[in-house]
């Protein structure tokens, strides 16, 4: 009976999150980030091996799991967003399992509500980040069980969860390791050796599909220095200021739906980002004071999660900690005087805010973009018009045509079913070394790639996210464009986009 009740509860929680994901299914947002997993899965299904035939600094988990999913479901919409919805739903179940161990009564439902309304809203697309975040949540859940009952079985299962997190993303593997270290030190747990064994054995199984490429795996997967320097942006109020700059001039004169949606978005992000260090200190102090072993374990687990991702803590990247944060803030509110009032106020504000944000999306995402895999909707009419023109250029090219789309236009491969002709998924100045661009140019030459597509990125937005000056970014994009388009001529252009065709004399 207890098993049936637990199953029905999990199904209800999964369904709740799954249904809330429907609003994102047709939105064109973070398309190139989402395409990384999709294109990697395409390459595997086409017979290419990770690391052997194409380069990536990422762990293989998202690509291998993606290949399994898309092999069964295909690539037509809404397959990609359906995968995203399943990740959202399964993570909601993990959030609920963590909440059941740390909270009681109606308080157990507050984390699930917060996860459903705002947990994934900053990045509502299929991503290796959410897969890794879900496994970090699994590590947190299994860690709480291990701390309460440090048996051999629980230690092995925790080790397996940590291995899964690292299989999806190195940083979340580090998160799991730090969690285990903090729990071991705080609670003096002797069964940690079984955690290590569980992690090792699970890793051997998970990494088996790439076991023949260990040299290349280590070279690509462990060589993170350049990537970490590019993505280095630690916790700072400047990150919050950059976020708030997007809402300059927000007022009721823009309409109450837009105003409430914007105000609620500001509220939840300020609460999460600005309040996160305070929340950690508050819950640590109150849990230690109450001598509550499970609550202490939750706080130490979240400290490990924050430390493991400390290299990049913009508002977006802090949101990847949401599966733990929604439980932690519920615990923090539970310790305040008038706790029920605070919880009720937060729940009401977020329900009201989510409703306004939902209505605003229905109003503003009204500009369609037709692709081979489906129709998506944008909020920017000018961007929609430009992208439709660009996609019309590509419409005459047959599927699987080799097209080099750079410097960061991976969605061209996934949405139009073109073939990436080079080893690298992306070609991004400052992230990829100069040698990568020369290697790409040589590949393009040797394979006589017929088409190149250049899409200039939003340098102002990248500057805000990375701190790299926009002028320097523009210069680097232009240098890359000149280097890679030698031997090609412009066929179509609009704004910062251009379609290049290989010169006829080069193809003889």
């Amino acid at each position: 009976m207890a098993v049936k009740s637990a199953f029905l509860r999990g199904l209800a929680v999964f369904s709740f999150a799954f249904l809330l994901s429907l609003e994102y299914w047709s939105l064109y947002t973070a398309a190139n980030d989402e395409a990384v997993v999709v294109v990697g899965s395409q390459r595997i299904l086409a017979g290419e091996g990770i690391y052997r035939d194409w380069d990536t600094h990422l762990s293989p988990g998202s690509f291998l799991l993606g290949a399994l999913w898309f092999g069964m479901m295909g690539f037509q919409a809404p397959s990609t967003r359906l995968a995203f919805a399943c990740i959202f739903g399964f993570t909601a179940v993990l959030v609920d399992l963590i909440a059941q161990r740390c909270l009681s009564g109606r308080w157990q439902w507050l984390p699930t509500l917060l996860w459903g309304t705002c947990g994934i809203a900053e990045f509502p697309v299929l991503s290796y980040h959410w897969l890794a975040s879900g496994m970090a949540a699994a590590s947190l859940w299994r860690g709480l069980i291990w701390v309460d009952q440090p048996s051999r079985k629980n230690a092995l299962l925790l080790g397996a969860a940590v291995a899964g997190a690292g299989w999806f993303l190195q940083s979340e593997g580090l998160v799991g390791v730090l969690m285990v270290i903090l729990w071991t030190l705080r609670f003096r747990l002797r069964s940690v050796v079984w955690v290590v064994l569980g992690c090792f054995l699970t890793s051997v199984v998970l990494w088996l599909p790439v076991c023949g490429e260990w040299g290349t795996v280590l070279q690509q997967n462990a060589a993170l220095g350049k990537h970490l320097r590019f993505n280095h942006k630690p916790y700072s109020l400047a990150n919050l200021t950059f976020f708030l700059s997007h809402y300059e001039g927000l007022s009721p004169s823009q309409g109450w739906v837009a105003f409430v949606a914007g105000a609620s978005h500001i509220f939840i992000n300020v609460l999460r980002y600005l309040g996160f260090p305070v929340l950690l200190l508050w819950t640590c102090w109150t849990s230690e004071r109450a001598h509550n072993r499970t609550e202490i374990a939750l706080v130490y687990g979240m400290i490990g999660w924050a430390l493991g991702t400390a290299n990049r803590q913009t508002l977006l990247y802090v949101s990847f900690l949401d599966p733990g944060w929604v439980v932690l803030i519920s615990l923090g509110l539970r310790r305040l005087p008038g706790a029920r009032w605070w919880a009720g106020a937060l729940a009401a504000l977020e329900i009201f805010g989510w409703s306004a944000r939902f209505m605003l999306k229905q109003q503003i995402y009204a500009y369609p973009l037709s692709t081979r895999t489906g129709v998506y909707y944008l909020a920017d009419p000018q961007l929609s018009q430009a992208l439709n023109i660009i996609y019309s250029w590509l419409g005459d090219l047959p599927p699987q045509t080799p097209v080099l789309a750079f410097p960061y236009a991976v969605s061209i491969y996934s949405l139009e079913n073109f073939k990436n002709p080079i080893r690298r998924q992306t070609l991004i100045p400052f992230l990829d070394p100069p040698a990568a661009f020369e290697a790409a140019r040589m590949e393009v030459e040797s394979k006589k790639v017929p088409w190149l597509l250049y899409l200039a990125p939003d340098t102002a937005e990248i500057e805000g996210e990375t701190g790299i000056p926009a002028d320097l970014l523009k210069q680097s994009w232009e240098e890359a464009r000149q280097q890679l388009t030698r031997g090609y001529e412009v066929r179509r252009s609009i704004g910062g986009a251009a379609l290049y065709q290989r010169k006829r004399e080069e193809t003889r």
Side-chain angles (χ1 to χ4, degrees):
M1 192 70 179
V3 173
K4 181 180 179 181
S5 177
F7 173 78
L8 291 176
R9 175 172 177 147
L11 182 61
V13 168
F14 176 90
S15 301
F16 170 73
F18 186 91
L19 291 173
L20 287 183
S21 77
L22 293 175
E23 65 169 322
Y24 302 116
W25 280 28
S26 64
L27 304 190
Y28 185 89
T29 176
N32 291 311
D33 291 315
E34 181 173 64
V36 171
V37 172
V38 181
V39 175
S41 303
Q42 286 177 329
R43 297 183 82 150
I44 291 173
L45 292 173
E48 296 185 52
I50 314 174
Y51 309 118
R52 183 191 69 203
D53 300 314
W54 53 276
D55 300 336
T56 177
H57 67 273
L58 300 173
S59 299
S62 59
F63 303 119
L64 293 170
L65 190 62
L68 180 63
W69 172 270
F70 290 111
M72 295 186 298
M73 305 298 294
F75 291 95
Q76 288 296 122
S79 176
T80 301
R81 299 296 167 84
L82 179 60
F84 151 75
C86 289
I87 296 167
F88 189 23
F90 281 121
T91 306
V93 174
L94 288 167
V95 167
D96 182 55
L97 290 170
I98 296 169
Q100 288 182 57
R101 300 200 69 85
C102 301
L103 301 164
S104 60
R106 295 179 181 178
W107 282 91
Q108 292 180 358
W109 297 106
L110 181 58
T112 302
L113 172 66
L114 294 176
W115 173 250
T117 56
C118 69
I120 212 162
E122 301 307 305
F123 202 62
V125 295
L126 176 64
S127 172
Y128 51 86
H129 282 293
W130 288 127
L131 285 163
S133 181
M135 282 309 301
S139 301
L140 181 59
W141 170 53
R142 293 309 314 180
L144 297 182
I145 297 174
W146 179 55
V147 168
D148 284 342
Q149 303 169 17
S151 66
R152 184 181 303 177
K153 174 186 174 182
N154 289 333
L156 288 170
L157 289 173
L158 170 58
V162 172
W167 187 60
F168 285 123
L169 198 59
Q170 299 95 314
S171 58
E172 266 60 22
L174 174 61
V175 163
V177 170
L178 290 174
M179 286 180 177
V180 171
I181 291 173
L182 291 174
W183 288 324
T184 302
L185 294 175
R186 173 60 182 81
F187 299 104
R188 301 180 182 180
L189 300 170
R190 296 182 179 179
S191 58
V192 66
V193 65
W194 294 102
V195 178
V196 176
L197 181 61
C199 184
F200 173 75
L201 293 176
T202 306
S203 295
V204 169
V205 174
L206 291 176
W207 289 76
L208 200 58
V210 296
C211 66
E213 307 295 329
W214 282 120
T216 312
V217 169
L218 290 174
Q219 180 184 0
Q220 295 184 31
N221 198 245
L224 290 173
K226 184 75 174 179
H227 178 78
L228 291 176
R229 287 192 295 274
F230 177 83
N231 283 284
H232 180 67
K233 196 148 189 206
Y235 187 93
S236 168
L237 292 183
N239 296 325
L240 184 61
T241 302
F242 174 68
F243 164 74
L244 293 174
S245 69
H246 292 77
Y247 281 105
E248 289 181 3
L250 179 68
S251 74
S253 64
Q254 297 168 330
W256 281 104
V257 171
F259 177 72
V260 173
S264 71
H265 192 217
I266 291 171
F267 167 75
I268 200 66
N269 274 287
V270 170
L271 177 66
R272 176 170 45 206
Y273 195 77
L274 192 60
F276 192 71
V278 178
L279 180 63
L280 277 176
L281 291 172
W282 168 248
T283 51
C284 186
W285 181 68
T286 57
S287 299
E288 289 282 5
R289 205 175 158 199
H291 304 290
N292 188 306
R293 190 178 178 92
T294 303
E295 292 179 7
I296 295 170
L298 171 69
V299 175
Y300 275 72
M302 289 305 298
I303 291 172
W305 203 336
L307 291 174
T309 56
N311 185 73
R312 188 154 174 80
Q313 289 191 339
T314 62
L315 269 76
L316 170 60
Y317 278 77
V318 166
S319 75
F320 294 129
L321 281 66
D322 277 353
W325 174 79
V326 294
V327 183
L328 194 68
I329 193 169
S330 301
L331 177 62
L333 292 175
R334 182 71 180 83
R335 293 295 186 187
L336 290 174
R340 290 184 180 179
W341 186 92
W342 288 109
L346 178 59
L349 283 171
E350 189 48 25
I351 290 171
F352 191 56
W354 177 87
S355 301
R357 297 193 298 268
F358 172 81
M359 288 189 288
L360 183 64
K361 291 186 189 81
Q362 309 314 304
Q363 292 177 12
I364 66 175
Y365 280 88
Y367 306 98
L369 170 65
S370 297
T371 75
R372 278 194 173 107
T373 56
V375 178
Y376 294 88
Y377 291 86
L378 291 84
D380 185 338
Q382 293 181 334
L383 180 60
S384 173
Q385 182 181 22
L387 286 176
N388 273 294
I389 290 171
I390 293 167
Y391 275 74
S392 71
W393 301 343
L394 304 171
D396 294 334
L397 305 182
Q400 288 301 297
T401 298
V403 178
L404 175 59
F406 71 101
Y408 191 54
V410 200
S411 59
I412 295 299
Y413 307 127
S414 62
L415 297 179
E416 286 297 290
N417 193 19
F418 291 141
K419 181 178 177 58
N420 183 351
I422 66 172
R423 286 186 58 91
R424 287 185 172 264
Q425 293 276 69
T426 60
L427 279 171
I428 305 176
F430 296 104
L431 175 56
D432 297 313
F437 289 86
E438 184 57 28
R441 192 190 67 79
M442 293 176 65
E443 278 190 272
V444 165
E445 284 294 318
S446 65
K447 296 175 181 178
K448 295 181 170 54
V449 175
W451 299 95
L452 306 182
L453 179 66
Y454 175 78
L455 294 177
D458 186 340
T459 53
E461 193 69 20
I462 297 173
E463 179 181 17
E465 285 290 330
T466 65
I468 301 173
D471 290 343
L472 193 58
L473 287 166
K474 290 178 181 178
Q475 179 183 343
S476 65
W477 303 139
E478 180 59 23
E479 289 174 354
R481 185 188 65 79
Q482 292 182 8
Q483 180 180 11
L484 289 166
T485 57
R486 278 181 288 175
Y488 288 78
E489 56 189 350
V490 176
R491 287 301 185 192
R492 304 283 180 84
S493 66
I494 178 175
L499 180 66
Y500 293 82
Q501 185 177 24
R502 191 174 179 84
K503 291 180 180 179
R504 292 181 179 178
E505 59 267 27
E506 297 288 338
T507 58
R508 292 173 183 172

